[in-house]
């Protein structure tokens, strides 16, 4: 009796232009990690794909960063979207600039989240980590540590030096963060 042979997929290595199930076309590989690979895919029939990775968007800006005003608008768009995920008792679990696609429209940003990661069922710690990760994206999109001391007080209040206890003391839920952004004074 022969031993069972396990086939392990090391990588998909999908080339741009490759069609998947006749409906989708690979545009490009966005990245990979220990849990898999992420590709930009377009639906062939509609051709729909909009925006670019936040990291690429920032790299094209003067100074490779957003102004504080723009950053708050980005944070608000992200907080609104993630709030809806949290209200469904889910969480993202892997928020960073490589998992956010943005399109800019006037004062607002249209955002799409990639690579939702659910390892352990939704717990308050997972949702709190989403809050911390989202504020880290905000902090980095404004220039990070290099420019933090020059940011307006309203921005420093949100970022709280990236100190977990300070941030979560202010924003226990994504809804609290969203509400703060809607009523904050500059």
């Amino acid at each position: 009796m022969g031993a069972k042979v396990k086939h392990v997929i090391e990588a998909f290595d999908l080339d741009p232009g490759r069609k998947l199930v006749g409906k989708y076309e690979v545009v490009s590989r966005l990245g990979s990690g220990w849990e898999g690979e992420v590709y930009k895919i377009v639906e062939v029939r509609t051709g729909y794909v909009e925006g670019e990775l936040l990291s690429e968007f920032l790299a094209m800006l003067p100074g490779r960063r957003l102004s504080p005003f723009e950053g708050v608008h980005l944070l608000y768009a992200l907080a609104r979207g993630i709030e809806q995920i949290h209200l469904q008792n889910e969480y993202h679990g892997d928020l960073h600039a490589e998992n956010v696609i943005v399109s800019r429209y006037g004062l607002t940003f249209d955002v799409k989240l990639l690579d939702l990661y659910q390892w352990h069922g939704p717990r308050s710690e997972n949702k709190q980590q989403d809050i911390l990760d989202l504020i880290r994206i905000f902090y980095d999109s404004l220039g990070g540590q290099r420019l933090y001391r020059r940011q307006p007080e309203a921005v420093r209040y949100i970022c709280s030096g990236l100190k977990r206890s300070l941030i979560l003391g202010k924003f226990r839920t994504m809804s609290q963060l969203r509400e703060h952004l809607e009523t904050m004074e500059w």
Side-chain angles (χ1 to χ4, degrees):
M1 191 160 195
K4 282 189 175 180
V5 176
K6 267 190 167 177
H7 296 282
V8 178
I9 297 173
E10 298 290 329
F12 290 102
D13 293 324
L14 302 176
D15 294 323
R18 180 172 174 185
K19 299 278 191 299
L20 304 171
V21 295
K23 289 176 61 173
Y24 306 100
E25 181 177 333
V26 175
V27 175
S28 64
R29 181 177 174 170
L30 298 176
S32 64
W34 69 271
E35 72 268 3
E37 298 171 345
V38 179
Y39 290 87
K40 188 173 196 176
I41 305 289
V42 63
E43 185 178 15
V44 174
R45 194 178 91 243
T46 63
Y48 182 78
V49 65
E50 290 182 21
E52 53 201 312
L53 290 176
L54 177 58
S55 58
E56 294 173 1
F57 176 80
L58 293 171
M60 293 185 297
L61 296 176
R64 300 180 169 303
R65 64 184 173 84
L66 296 171
S67 72
F69 186 73
E70 294 167 316
V72 168
H73 281 277
L74 174 65
L75 178 60
Y76 181 69
L78 288 165
R80 285 184 56 207
I82 295 166
E83 178 185 28
Q84 293 306 307
I85 293 170
H86 287 191
L87 291 173
Q88 297 297 315
N89 202 29
E90 299 292 344
Y91 69 101
H92 188 283
D94 194 22
L95 288 168
H96 53 80
E98 297 292 319
N99 282 343
V100 176
I101 292 180
V102 298
S103 297
R104 187 183 216 156
Y105 298 101
L107 293 177
T108 64
F109 289 90
D110 180 42
V111 296
K112 295 171 184 70
L113 300 171
L114 304 173
D115 200 18
L116 272 75
Y117 176 77
Q118 295 181 353
W119 188 253
H120 309 290
R123 300 188 315 244
S124 61
E125 300 89 45
N126 302 123
K127 293 177 182 180
Q128 289 175 348
Q129 189 60 51
D130 277 355
I131 294 167
L132 296 168
D133 292 343
L134 186 59
I135 289 175
R136 178 61 192 234
I137 290 171
F138 173 61
Y139 173 89
D140 290 341
S141 73
L142 298 176
Q145 182 180 9
R146 175 175 60 93
L147 299 175
Y148 182 69
R149 292 177 59 185
R150 290 189 255 158
Q151 297 298 340
E153 178 58 35
V155 167
R156 290 194 316 268
Y157 177 85
I158 294 166
C159 294
S160 300
L162 295 181
K163 291 184 174 38
R164 177 184 183 88
S165 61
L166 294 177
I167 293 169
L168 296 178
K170 296 171 186 174
F171 312 117
R172 300 289 300 157
T173 67
M174 196 63 72
S175 296
Q176 287 177 338
L177 176 58
R178 181 207 27 93
E179 289 167 3
H180 172 76
L181 295 170
E182 289 176 348
T183 61
M184 68 186 273
E185 293 186 22
W186 285 82

